[in-house]
PDB file of all heavy atoms in Angstrom:
ATOM      1  N   GLU A  51     -39.431  22.264 -81.433  1.00 87.00           N
ATOM      2  CA  GLU A  51     -38.064  22.003 -81.864  1.00 87.00           C
ATOM      3  C   GLU A  51     -37.536  23.090 -82.795  1.00 87.00           C
ATOM      4  O   GLU A  51     -36.401  23.565 -82.644  1.00 87.00           O
ATOM      5  CB  GLU A  51     -38.011  20.646 -82.557  1.00 87.00           C
ATOM      6  CG  GLU A  51     -36.616  20.124 -82.827  1.00 87.00           C
ATOM      7  CD  GLU A  51     -36.633  18.737 -83.428  1.00 87.00           C
ATOM      8  OE1 GLU A  51     -37.150  18.592 -84.557  1.00 87.00           O
ATOM      9  OE2 GLU A  51     -36.156  17.796 -82.781  1.00 87.00           O
ATOM     10  N   MET A  52     -38.358  23.505 -83.753  1.00 90.00           N
ATOM     11  CA  MET A  52     -37.919  24.525 -84.696  1.00 90.00           C
ATOM     12  C   MET A  52     -37.830  25.894 -84.036  1.00 90.00           C
ATOM     13  O   MET A  52     -36.982  26.713 -84.407  1.00 90.00           O
ATOM     14  CB  MET A  52     -38.866  24.574 -85.898  1.00 90.00           C
ATOM     15  CG  MET A  52     -38.810  23.341 -86.778  1.00 90.00           C
ATOM     16  SD  MET A  52     -37.108  22.853 -87.228  1.00 90.00           S
ATOM     17  CE  MET A  52     -36.570  24.304 -88.151  1.00 90.00           C
ATOM     18  N   THR A  53     -38.690  26.142 -83.047  1.00 94.00           N
ATOM     19  CA  THR A  53     -38.573  27.386 -82.275  1.00 94.00           C
ATOM     20  C   THR A  53     -37.232  27.418 -81.556  1.00 94.00           C
ATOM     21  O   THR A  53     -36.541  28.442 -81.518  1.00 94.00           O
ATOM     22  CB  THR A  53     -39.713  27.506 -81.261  1.00 94.00           C
ATOM     23  OG1 THR A  53     -40.966  27.514 -81.941  1.00 94.00           O
ATOM     24  CG2 THR A  53     -39.575  28.780 -80.436  1.00 94.00           C
ATOM     25  N   GLY A  54     -36.859  26.263 -80.990  1.00 92.00           N
ATOM     26  CA  GLY A  54     -35.565  26.165 -80.324  1.00 92.00           C
ATOM     27  C   GLY A  54     -34.410  26.402 -81.275  1.00 92.00           C
ATOM     28  O   GLY A  54     -33.454  27.111 -80.941  1.00 92.00           O
ATOM     29  N   PHE A  55     -34.501  25.831 -82.465  1.00 91.00           N
ATOM     30  CA  PHE A  55     -33.437  26.034 -83.447  1.00 91.00           C
ATOM     31  C   PHE A  55     -33.341  27.507 -83.833  1.00 91.00           C
ATOM     32  O   PHE A  55     -32.238  28.042 -84.015  1.00 91.00           O
ATOM     33  CB  PHE A  55     -33.685  25.188 -84.690  1.00 91.00           C
ATOM     34  CG  PHE A  55     -32.623  25.348 -85.747  1.00 91.00           C
ATOM     35  CD1 PHE A  55     -31.381  24.742 -85.591  1.00 91.00           C
ATOM     36  CD2 PHE A  55     -32.852  26.102 -86.877  1.00 91.00           C
ATOM     37  CE1 PHE A  55     -30.385  24.898 -86.556  1.00 91.00           C
ATOM     38  CE2 PHE A  55     -31.868  26.263 -87.846  1.00 91.00           C
ATOM     39  CZ  PHE A  55     -30.635  25.655 -87.675  1.00 91.00           C
ATOM     40  N   GLY A  56     -34.492  28.177 -83.942  1.00 95.00           N
ATOM     41  CA  GLY A  56     -34.488  29.606 -84.250  1.00 95.00           C
ATOM     42  C   GLY A  56     -33.789  30.416 -83.172  1.00 95.00           C
ATOM     43  O   GLY A  56     -33.021  31.344 -83.470  1.00 95.00           O
ATOM     44  N   LEU A  57     -34.006  30.047 -81.899  1.00 95.00           N
ATOM     45  CA  LEU A  57     -33.346  30.749 -80.794  1.00 95.00           C
ATOM     46  C   LEU A  57     -31.844  30.488 -80.798  1.00 95.00           C
ATOM     47  O   LEU A  57     -31.045  31.394 -80.515  1.00 95.00           O
ATOM     48  CB  LEU A  57     -33.950  30.309 -79.461  1.00 95.00           C
ATOM     49  CG  LEU A  57     -35.400  30.715 -79.211  1.00 95.00           C
ATOM     50  CD1 LEU A  57     -35.865  30.228 -77.835  1.00 95.00           C
ATOM     51  CD2 LEU A  57     -35.570  32.232 -79.308  1.00 95.00           C
ATOM     52  N   VAL A  58     -31.450  29.267 -81.124  1.00 92.00           N
ATOM     53  CA  VAL A  58     -30.024  28.948 -81.210  1.00 92.00           C
ATOM     54  C   VAL A  58     -29.375  29.753 -82.333  1.00 92.00           C
ATOM     55  O   VAL A  58     -28.249  30.247 -82.196  1.00 92.00           O
ATOM     56  CB  VAL A  58     -29.809  27.437 -81.421  1.00 92.00           C
ATOM     57  CG1 VAL A  58     -28.354  27.139 -81.784  1.00 92.00           C
ATOM     58  CG2 VAL A  58     -30.201  26.665 -80.170  1.00 92.00           C
ATOM     59  N   LEU A  59     -30.073  29.913 -83.443  1.00 94.00           N
ATOM     60  CA  LEU A  59     -29.549  30.709 -84.548  1.00 94.00           C
ATOM     61  C   LEU A  59     -29.415  32.169 -84.148  1.00 94.00           C
ATOM     62  O   LEU A  59     -28.423  32.832 -84.494  1.00 94.00           O
ATOM     63  CB  LEU A  59     -30.467  30.571 -85.766  1.00 94.00           C
ATOM     64  CG  LEU A  59     -29.970  31.198 -87.074  1.00 94.00           C
ATOM     65  CD1 LEU A  59     -28.631  30.597 -87.486  1.00 94.00           C
ATOM     66  CD2 LEU A  59     -30.995  31.011 -88.183  1.00 94.00           C
ATOM     67  N   ILE A  60     -30.400  32.688 -83.402  1.00 95.00           N
ATOM     68  CA  ILE A  60     -30.313  34.063 -82.897  1.00 95.00           C
ATOM     69  C   ILE A  60     -29.102  34.205 -81.976  1.00 95.00           C
ATOM     70  O   ILE A  60     -28.370  35.206 -82.028  1.00 95.00           O
ATOM     71  CB  ILE A  60     -31.606  34.439 -82.150  1.00 95.00           C
ATOM     72  CG1 ILE A  60     -32.769  34.588 -83.135  1.00 95.00           C
ATOM     73  CG2 ILE A  60     -31.422  35.735 -81.349  1.00 95.00           C
ATOM     74  CD1 ILE A  60     -34.111  34.807 -82.478  1.00 95.00           C
ATOM     75  N   CYS A  61     -28.882  33.195 -81.133  1.00 93.00           N
ATOM     76  CA  CYS A  61     -27.714  33.190 -80.247  1.00 93.00           C
ATOM     77  C   CYS A  61     -26.433  33.252 -81.057  1.00 93.00           C
ATOM     78  O   CYS A  61     -25.525  34.050 -80.762  1.00 93.00           O
ATOM     79  CB  CYS A  61     -27.743  31.936 -79.372  1.00 93.00           C
ATOM     80  SG  CYS A  61     -26.171  31.548 -78.562  1.00 93.00           S
ATOM     81  N   PHE A  62     -26.331  32.429 -82.077  1.00 92.00           N
ATOM     82  CA  PHE A  62     -25.135  32.352 -82.912  1.00 92.00           C
ATOM     83  C   PHE A  62     -24.841  33.698 -83.572  1.00 92.00           C
ATOM     84  O   PHE A  62     -23.720  34.221 -83.491  1.00 92.00           O
ATOM     85  CB  PHE A  62     -25.342  31.264 -83.961  1.00 92.00           C
ATOM     86  CG  PHE A  62     -24.198  31.113 -84.926  1.00 92.00           C
ATOM     87  CD1 PHE A  62     -22.988  30.568 -84.516  1.00 92.00           C
ATOM     88  CD2 PHE A  62     -24.335  31.504 -86.251  1.00 92.00           C
ATOM     89  CE1 PHE A  62     -21.934  30.413 -85.414  1.00 92.00           C
ATOM     90  CE2 PHE A  62     -23.293  31.353 -87.152  1.00 92.00           C
ATOM     91  CZ  PHE A  62     -22.091  30.808 -86.725  1.00 92.00           C
ATOM     92  N   LEU A  63     -25.854  34.282 -84.194  1.00 95.00           N
ATOM     93  CA  LEU A  63     -25.668  35.554 -84.892  1.00 95.00           C
ATOM     94  C   LEU A  63     -25.458  36.698 -83.907  1.00 95.00           C
ATOM     95  O   LEU A  63     -24.656  37.609 -84.151  1.00 95.00           O
ATOM     96  CB  LEU A  63     -26.878  35.826 -85.786  1.00 95.00           C
ATOM     97  CG  LEU A  63     -27.101  34.831 -86.935  1.00 95.00           C
ATOM     98  CD1 LEU A  63     -28.391  35.154 -87.683  1.00 95.00           C
ATOM     99  CD2 LEU A  63     -25.919  34.819 -87.887  1.00 95.00           C
ATOM    100  N   GLY A  64     -26.183  36.664 -82.784  1.00 95.00           N
ATOM    101  CA  GLY A  64     -26.056  37.726 -81.792  1.00 95.00           C
ATOM    102  C   GLY A  64     -24.685  37.760 -81.151  1.00 95.00           C
ATOM    103  O   GLY A  64     -24.122  38.845 -80.897  1.00 95.00           O
ATOM    104  N   ARG A  65     -24.112  36.589 -80.892  1.00 92.00           N
ATOM    105  CA  ARG A  65     -22.773  36.552 -80.317  1.00 92.00           C
ATOM    106  C   ARG A  65     -21.724  37.053 -81.313  1.00 92.00           C
ATOM    107  O   ARG A  65     -20.777  37.753 -80.931  1.00 92.00           O
ATOM    108  CB  ARG A  65     -22.451  35.133 -79.854  1.00 92.00           C
ATOM    109  CG  ARG A  65     -23.153  34.739 -78.555  1.00 92.00           C
ATOM    110  CD  ARG A  65     -22.822  33.315 -78.156  1.00 92.00           C
ATOM    111  NE  ARG A  65     -21.378  33.114 -78.053  1.00 92.00           N
ATOM    112  CZ  ARG A  65     -20.646  33.445 -76.979  1.00 92.00           C
ATOM    113  NH1 ARG A  65     -21.236  33.980 -75.919  1.00 92.00           N
ATOM    114  NH2 ARG A  65     -19.347  33.229 -76.958  1.00 92.00           N
ATOM    115  N   LEU A  66     -21.901  36.709 -82.591  1.00 93.00           N
ATOM    116  CA  LEU A  66     -20.984  37.228 -83.607  1.00 93.00           C
ATOM    117  C   LEU A  66     -21.080  38.750 -83.689  1.00 93.00           C
ATOM    118  O   LEU A  66     -20.053  39.448 -83.787  1.00 93.00           O
ATOM    119  CB  LEU A  66     -21.304  36.613 -84.967  1.00 93.00           C
ATOM    120  CG  LEU A  66     -20.943  35.143 -85.177  1.00 93.00           C
ATOM    121  CD1 LEU A  66     -21.373  34.689 -86.568  1.00 93.00           C
ATOM    122  CD2 LEU A  66     -19.451  34.910 -84.980  1.00 93.00           C
ATOM    123  N   TRP A  67     -22.291  39.263 -83.669  1.00 93.00           N
ATOM    124  CA  TRP A  67     -22.508  40.705 -83.714  1.00 93.00           C
ATOM    125  C   TRP A  67     -21.837  41.384 -82.521  1.00 93.00           C
ATOM    126  O   TRP A  67     -21.151  42.405 -82.664  1.00 93.00           O
ATOM    127  CB  TRP A  67     -24.012  40.980 -83.734  1.00 93.00           C
ATOM    128  CG  TRP A  67     -24.392  42.419 -83.779  1.00 93.00           C
ATOM    129  CD1 TRP A  67     -23.759  43.426 -84.432  1.00 93.00           C
ATOM    130  CD2 TRP A  67     -25.522  43.024 -83.128  1.00 93.00           C
ATOM    131  NE1 TRP A  67     -24.422  44.628 -84.246  1.00 93.00           N
ATOM    132  CE2 TRP A  67     -25.503  44.410 -83.444  1.00 93.00           C
ATOM    133  CE3 TRP A  67     -26.547  42.527 -82.321  1.00 93.00           C
ATOM    134  CZ2 TRP A  67     -26.477  45.281 -82.974  1.00 93.00           C
ATOM    135  CZ3 TRP A  67     -27.519  43.401 -81.861  1.00 93.00           C
ATOM    136  CH2 TRP A  67     -27.479  44.771 -82.180  1.00 93.00           C
ATOM    137  N   SER A  68     -22.006  40.809 -81.343  1.00 92.00           N
ATOM    138  CA  SER A  68     -21.455  41.409 -80.128  1.00 92.00           C
ATOM    139  C   SER A  68     -19.936  41.382 -80.117  1.00 92.00           C
ATOM    140  O   SER A  68     -19.286  42.352 -79.706  1.00 92.00           O
ATOM    141  CB  SER A  68     -21.996  40.670 -78.892  1.00 92.00           C
ATOM    142  OG  SER A  68     -23.404  40.730 -78.836  1.00 92.00           O
ATOM    143  N   PHE A  95     -26.572  37.645 -72.690  1.00 95.00           N
ATOM    144  CA  PHE A  95     -27.985  37.575 -73.077  1.00 95.00           C
ATOM    145  C   PHE A  95     -28.188  36.581 -74.214  1.00 95.00           C
ATOM    146  O   PHE A  95     -29.052  35.694 -74.142  1.00 95.00           O
ATOM    147  CB  PHE A  95     -28.492  38.958 -73.489  1.00 95.00           C
ATOM    148  CG  PHE A  95     -29.848  38.912 -74.140  1.00 95.00           C
ATOM    149  CD1 PHE A  95     -30.992  38.730 -73.385  1.00 95.00           C
ATOM    150  CD2 PHE A  95     -29.970  39.039 -75.524  1.00 95.00           C
ATOM    151  CE1 PHE A  95     -32.243  38.663 -73.993  1.00 95.00           C
ATOM    152  CE2 PHE A  95     -31.214  38.970 -76.133  1.00 95.00           C
ATOM    153  CZ  PHE A  95     -32.349  38.787 -75.363  1.00 95.00           C
ATOM    154  N   PHE A  96     -27.380  36.707 -75.267  1.00 94.00           N
ATOM    155  CA  PHE A  96     -27.550  35.812 -76.417  1.00 94.00           C
ATOM    156  C   PHE A  96     -27.191  34.365 -76.057  1.00 94.00           C
ATOM    157  O   PHE A  96     -27.797  33.431 -76.590  1.00 94.00           O
ATOM    158  CB  PHE A  96     -26.707  36.304 -77.588  1.00 94.00           C
ATOM    159  CG  PHE A  96     -27.263  37.516 -78.272  1.00 94.00           C
ATOM    160  CD1 PHE A  96     -26.558  38.709 -78.307  1.00 94.00           C
ATOM    161  CD2 PHE A  96     -28.511  37.472 -78.879  1.00 94.00           C
ATOM    162  CE1 PHE A  96     -27.080  39.835 -78.936  1.00 94.00           C
ATOM    163  CE2 PHE A  96     -29.045  38.592 -79.510  1.00 94.00           C
ATOM    164  CZ  PHE A  96     -28.326  39.774 -79.544  1.00 94.00           C
ATOM    165  N   SER A  97     -26.236  34.180 -75.164  1.00 90.00           N
ATOM    166  CA  SER A  97     -25.900  32.826 -74.726  1.00 90.00           C
ATOM    167  C   SER A  97     -27.083  32.187 -73.989  1.00 90.00           C
ATOM    168  O   SER A  97     -27.381  31.001 -74.181  1.00 90.00           O
ATOM    169  CB  SER A  97     -24.676  32.846 -73.810  1.00 90.00           C
ATOM    170  OG  SER A  97     -23.521  33.245 -74.517  1.00 90.00           O
ATOM    171  N   THR A  98     -27.763  32.974 -73.164  1.00 92.00           N
ATOM    172  CA  THR A  98     -28.934  32.464 -72.452  1.00 92.00           C
ATOM    173  C   THR A  98     -30.052  32.108 -73.428  1.00 92.00           C
ATOM    174  O   THR A  98     -30.724  31.079 -73.273  1.00 92.00           O
ATOM    175  CB  THR A  98     -29.435  33.502 -71.437  1.00 92.00           C
ATOM    176  OG1 THR A  98     -28.394  33.772 -70.487  1.00 92.00           O
ATOM    177  CG2 THR A  98     -30.664  32.995 -70.687  1.00 92.00           C
ATOM    178  N   VAL A  99     -30.243  32.943 -74.446  1.00 94.00           N
ATOM    179  CA  VAL A  99     -31.223  32.637 -75.490  1.00 94.00           C
ATOM    180  C   VAL A  99     -30.883  31.304 -76.153  1.00 94.00           C
ATOM    181  O   VAL A  99     -31.759  30.465 -76.404  1.00 94.00           O
ATOM    182  CB  VAL A  99     -31.266  33.770 -76.541  1.00 94.00           C
ATOM    183  CG1 VAL A  99     -32.087  33.344 -77.769  1.00 94.00           C
ATOM    184  CG2 VAL A  99     -31.868  35.031 -75.933  1.00 94.00           C
ATOM    185  N   GLY A 100     -29.590  31.079 -76.422  1.00 91.00           N
ATOM    186  CA  GLY A 100     -29.172  29.832 -77.042  1.00 91.00           C
ATOM    187  C   GLY A 100     -29.405  28.625 -76.156  1.00 91.00           C
ATOM    188  O   GLY A 100     -29.818  27.561 -76.633  1.00 91.00           O
ATOM    189  N   VAL A 101     -29.152  28.770 -74.863  1.00 88.00           N
ATOM    190  CA  VAL A 101     -29.372  27.668 -73.929  1.00 88.00           C
ATOM    191  C   VAL A 101     -30.854  27.308 -73.870  1.00 88.00           C
ATOM    192  O   VAL A 101     -31.224  26.119 -73.847  1.00 88.00           O
ATOM    193  CB  VAL A 101     -28.839  28.044 -72.531  1.00 88.00           C
ATOM    194  CG1 VAL A 101     -29.302  27.034 -71.489  1.00 88.00           C
ATOM    195  CG2 VAL A 101     -27.319  28.109 -72.552  1.00 88.00           C
ATOM    196  N   ILE A 102     -31.720  28.309 -73.851  1.00 92.00           N
ATOM    197  CA  ILE A 102     -33.164  28.046 -73.890  1.00 92.00           C
ATOM    198  C   ILE A 102     -33.521  27.321 -75.180  1.00 92.00           C
ATOM    199  O   ILE A 102     -34.323  26.374 -75.187  1.00 92.00           O
ATOM    200  CB  ILE A 102     -33.951  29.370 -73.768  1.00 92.00           C
ATOM    201  CG1 ILE A 102     -33.733  29.988 -72.388  1.00 92.00           C
ATOM    202  CG2 ILE A 102     -35.442  29.145 -74.022  1.00 92.00           C
ATOM    203  CD1 ILE A 102     -34.315  31.375 -72.251  1.00 92.00           C
ATOM    204  N   GLY A 103     -32.911  27.759 -76.261  1.00 91.00           N
ATOM    205  CA  GLY A 103     -33.162  27.111 -77.547  1.00 91.00           C
ATOM    206  C   GLY A 103     -32.768  25.650 -77.552  1.00 91.00           C
ATOM    207  O   GLY A 103     -33.454  24.812 -78.150  1.00 91.00           O
ATOM    208  N   ILE A 104     -31.678  25.314 -76.868  1.00 85.00           N
ATOM    209  CA  ILE A 104     -31.246  23.917 -76.796  1.00 85.00           C
ATOM    210  C   ILE A 104     -32.303  23.066 -76.108  1.00 85.00           C
ATOM    211  O   ILE A 104     -32.628  21.958 -76.550  1.00 85.00           O
ATOM    212  CB  ILE A 104     -29.898  23.816 -76.063  1.00 85.00           C
ATOM    213  CG1 ILE A 104     -28.791  24.431 -76.926  1.00 85.00           C
ATOM    214  CG2 ILE A 104     -29.567  22.363 -75.726  1.00 85.00           C
ATOM    215  CD1 ILE A 104     -27.465  24.550 -76.209  1.00 85.00           C
ATOM    216  N   GLY A 105     -32.854  23.581 -75.005  1.00 84.00           N
ATOM    217  CA  GLY A 105     -33.917  22.851 -74.316  1.00 84.00           C
ATOM    218  C   GLY A 105     -35.127  22.648 -75.200  1.00 84.00           C
ATOM    219  O   GLY A 105     -35.736  21.568 -75.204  1.00 84.00           O
ATOM    220  N   LEU A 106     -35.482  23.663 -75.979  1.00 88.00           N
ATOM    221  CA  LEU A 106     -36.635  23.548 -76.868  1.00 88.00           C
ATOM    222  C   LEU A 106     -36.349  22.617 -78.041  1.00 88.00           C
ATOM    223  O   LEU A 106     -37.253  21.925 -78.520  1.00 88.00           O
ATOM    224  CB  LEU A 106     -37.041  24.930 -77.381  1.00 88.00           C
ATOM    225  CG  LEU A 106     -37.619  25.893 -76.343  1.00 88.00           C
ATOM    226  CD1 LEU A 106     -37.945  27.240 -76.988  1.00 88.00           C
ATOM    227  CD2 LEU A 106     -38.870  25.310 -75.690  1.00 88.00           C
ATOM    228  N   MET A 107     -35.114  22.581 -78.521  1.00 85.00           N
ATOM    229  CA  MET A 107     -34.781  21.652 -79.592  1.00 85.00           C
ATOM    230  C   MET A 107     -34.989  20.208 -79.145  1.00 85.00           C
ATOM    231  O   MET A 107     -35.285  19.331 -79.947  1.00 85.00           O
ATOM    232  CB  MET A 107     -33.343  21.861 -80.070  1.00 85.00           C
ATOM    233  CG  MET A 107     -33.159  23.047 -80.993  1.00 85.00           C
ATOM    234  SD  MET A 107     -31.629  22.954 -81.978  1.00 85.00           S
ATOM    235  CE  MET A 107     -30.389  22.894 -80.710  1.00 85.00           C
ATOM    236  N   THR A 177     -15.233  33.057 -81.759  1.00 84.00           N
ATOM    237  CA  THR A 177     -16.654  33.050 -81.423  1.00 84.00           C
ATOM    238  C   THR A 177     -17.460  32.265 -82.445  1.00 84.00           C
ATOM    239  O   THR A 177     -18.419  31.579 -82.110  1.00 84.00           O
ATOM    240  CB  THR A 177     -17.181  34.499 -81.348  1.00 84.00           C
ATOM    241  OG1 THR A 177     -16.421  35.226 -80.379  1.00 84.00           O
ATOM    242  CG2 THR A 177     -18.647  34.530 -80.943  1.00 84.00           C
ATOM    243  N   PHE A 178     -17.050  32.341 -83.708  1.00 86.00           N
ATOM    244  CA  PHE A 178     -17.718  31.572 -84.763  1.00 86.00           C
ATOM    245  C   PHE A 178     -17.569  30.072 -84.494  1.00 86.00           C
ATOM    246  O   PHE A 178     -18.537  29.315 -84.592  1.00 86.00           O
ATOM    247  CB  PHE A 178     -17.122  31.925 -86.122  1.00 86.00           C
ATOM    248  CG  PHE A 178     -17.745  31.181 -87.270  1.00 86.00           C
ATOM    249  CD1 PHE A 178     -18.932  31.612 -87.833  1.00 86.00           C
ATOM    250  CD2 PHE A 178     -17.134  30.045 -87.784  1.00 86.00           C
ATOM    251  CE1 PHE A 178     -19.511  30.922 -88.896  1.00 86.00           C
ATOM    252  CE2 PHE A 178     -17.697  29.350 -88.844  1.00 86.00           C
ATOM    253  CZ  PHE A 178     -18.890  29.789 -89.396  1.00 86.00           C
ATOM    254  N   GLY A 181     -19.742  29.063 -81.621  1.00 81.00           N
ATOM    255  CA  GLY A 181     -21.148  29.035 -82.011  1.00 81.00           C
ATOM    256  C   GLY A 181     -21.528  27.793 -82.786  1.00 81.00           C
ATOM    257  O   GLY A 181     -22.684  27.352 -82.744  1.00 81.00           O
ATOM    258  N   LEU A 182     -20.559  27.214 -83.482  1.00 82.00           N
ATOM    259  CA  LEU A 182     -20.844  25.999 -84.246  1.00 82.00           C
ATOM    260  C   LEU A 182     -21.244  24.850 -83.339  1.00 82.00           C
ATOM    261  O   LEU A 182     -21.991  23.957 -83.754  1.00 82.00           O
ATOM    262  CB  LEU A 182     -19.624  25.606 -85.081  1.00 82.00           C
ATOM    263  CG  LEU A 182     -19.278  26.550 -86.247  1.00 82.00           C
ATOM    264  CD1 LEU A 182     -18.044  26.043 -86.977  1.00 82.00           C
ATOM    265  CD2 LEU A 182     -20.457  26.670 -87.213  1.00 82.00           C
ATOM    266  N   TYR A 183     -20.768  24.858 -82.092  1.00 77.00           N
ATOM    267  CA  TYR A 183     -21.168  23.812 -81.153  1.00 77.00           C
ATOM    268  C   TYR A 183     -22.664  23.885 -80.874  1.00 77.00           C
ATOM    269  O   TYR A 183     -23.341  22.860 -80.744  1.00 77.00           O
ATOM    270  CB  TYR A 183     -20.383  23.936 -79.852  1.00 77.00           C
ATOM    271  CG  TYR A 183     -18.930  23.549 -79.970  1.00 77.00           C
ATOM    272  CD1 TYR A 183     -17.930  24.521 -79.957  1.00 77.00           C
ATOM    273  CD2 TYR A 183     -18.546  22.219 -80.111  1.00 77.00           C
ATOM    274  CE1 TYR A 183     -16.592  24.177 -80.079  1.00 77.00           C
ATOM    275  CE2 TYR A 183     -17.210  21.858 -80.233  1.00 77.00           C
ATOM    276  CZ  TYR A 183     -16.236  22.844 -80.213  1.00 77.00           C
ATOM    277  OH  TYR A 183     -14.914  22.503 -80.343  1.00 77.00           O
ATOM    278  N   PHE A 184     -23.194  25.110 -80.766  1.00 77.00           N
ATOM    279  CA  PHE A 184     -24.637  25.275 -80.576  1.00 77.00           C
ATOM    280  C   PHE A 184     -25.391  24.698 -81.765  1.00 77.00           C
ATOM    281  O   PHE A 184     -26.338  23.927 -81.614  1.00 77.00           O
ATOM    282  CB  PHE A 184     -24.988  26.760 -80.404  1.00 77.00           C
ATOM    283  CG  PHE A 184     -24.733  27.307 -79.030  1.00 77.00           C
ATOM    284  CD1 PHE A 184     -23.506  27.859 -78.699  1.00 77.00           C
ATOM    285  CD2 PHE A 184     -25.723  27.285 -78.066  1.00 77.00           C
ATOM    286  CE1 PHE A 184     -23.270  28.368 -77.443  1.00 77.00           C
ATOM    287  CE2 PHE A 184     -25.502  27.792 -76.803  1.00 77.00           C
ATOM    288  CZ  PHE A 184     -24.273  28.332 -76.484  1.00 77.00           C
ATOM    289  N   LEU A 185     -24.963  25.081 -82.964  1.00 81.00           N
ATOM    290  CA  LEU A 185     -25.655  24.635 -84.173  1.00 81.00           C
ATOM    291  C   LEU A 185     -25.510  23.129 -84.383  1.00 81.00           C
ATOM    292  O   LEU A 185     -26.421  22.472 -84.896  1.00 81.00           O
ATOM    293  CB  LEU A 185     -25.106  25.386 -85.389  1.00 81.00           C
ATOM    294  CG  LEU A 185     -25.332  26.900 -85.406  1.00 81.00           C
ATOM    295  CD1 LEU A 185     -24.705  27.512 -86.655  1.00 81.00           C
ATOM    296  CD2 LEU A 185     -26.824  27.233 -85.367  1.00 81.00           C
ATOM    297  N   ALA A 186     -24.374  22.567 -83.979  1.00 79.00           N
ATOM    298  CA  ALA A 186     -24.134  21.129 -84.173  1.00 79.00           C
ATOM    299  C   ALA A 186     -25.061  20.278 -83.324  1.00 79.00           C
ATOM    300  O   ALA A 186     -25.257  19.085 -83.612  1.00 79.00           O
ATOM    301  CB  ALA A 186     -22.681  20.795 -83.848  1.00 79.00           C
ATOM    302  N   LEU A 187     -25.646  20.869 -82.291  1.00 76.00           N
ATOM    303  CA  LEU A 187     -26.540  20.099 -81.429  1.00 76.00           C
ATOM    304  C   LEU A 187     -27.815  19.676 -82.163  1.00 76.00           C
ATOM    305  O   LEU A 187     -28.440  18.681 -81.780  1.00 76.00           O
ATOM    306  CB  LEU A 187     -26.906  20.918 -80.186  1.00 76.00           C
ATOM    307  CG  LEU A 187     -25.810  21.017 -79.131  1.00 76.00           C
ATOM    308  CD1 LEU A 187     -26.233  21.969 -78.030  1.00 76.00           C
ATOM    309  CD2 LEU A 187     -25.490  19.646 -78.558  1.00 76.00           C
ATOM    310  N   PHE A 188     -28.192  20.408 -83.192  1.00 77.00           N
ATOM    311  CA  PHE A 188     -29.432  20.061 -83.898  1.00 77.00           C
ATOM    312  C   PHE A 188     -29.331  18.681 -84.549  1.00 77.00           C
ATOM    313  O   PHE A 188     -30.187  17.821 -84.304  1.00 77.00           O
ATOM    314  CB  PHE A 188     -29.767  21.132 -84.939  1.00 77.00           C
ATOM    315  CG  PHE A 188     -31.093  20.905 -85.619  1.00 77.00           C
ATOM    316  CD1 PHE A 188     -32.272  21.105 -84.945  1.00 77.00           C
ATOM    317  CD2 PHE A 188     -31.144  20.473 -86.936  1.00 77.00           C
ATOM    318  CE1 PHE A 188     -33.499  20.894 -85.559  1.00 77.00           C
ATOM    319  CE2 PHE A 188     -32.359  20.250 -87.565  1.00 77.00           C
ATOM    320  CZ  PHE A 188     -33.537  20.460 -86.873  1.00 77.00           C
TER     321      PHE A 188
END
Side-chain angles (χ1 to χ4, degrees):
E51 191 176 64
M52 292 311 298
T53 300
F55 180 76
L57 293 181
V58 169
L59 188 59
I60 290 174
C61 164
F62 178 71
L63 296 176
R65 284 179 55 82
L66 288 178
W67 180 36
S68 301
F95 169 76
F96 286 118
S97 294
T98 300
V99 169
V101 169
I102 294 172
I104 291 172
L106 292 179
M107 282 200 300
T177 302
F178 180 82
L182 291 180
Y183 289 107
F184 280 90
L185 296 179
L187 284 174
F188 185 72

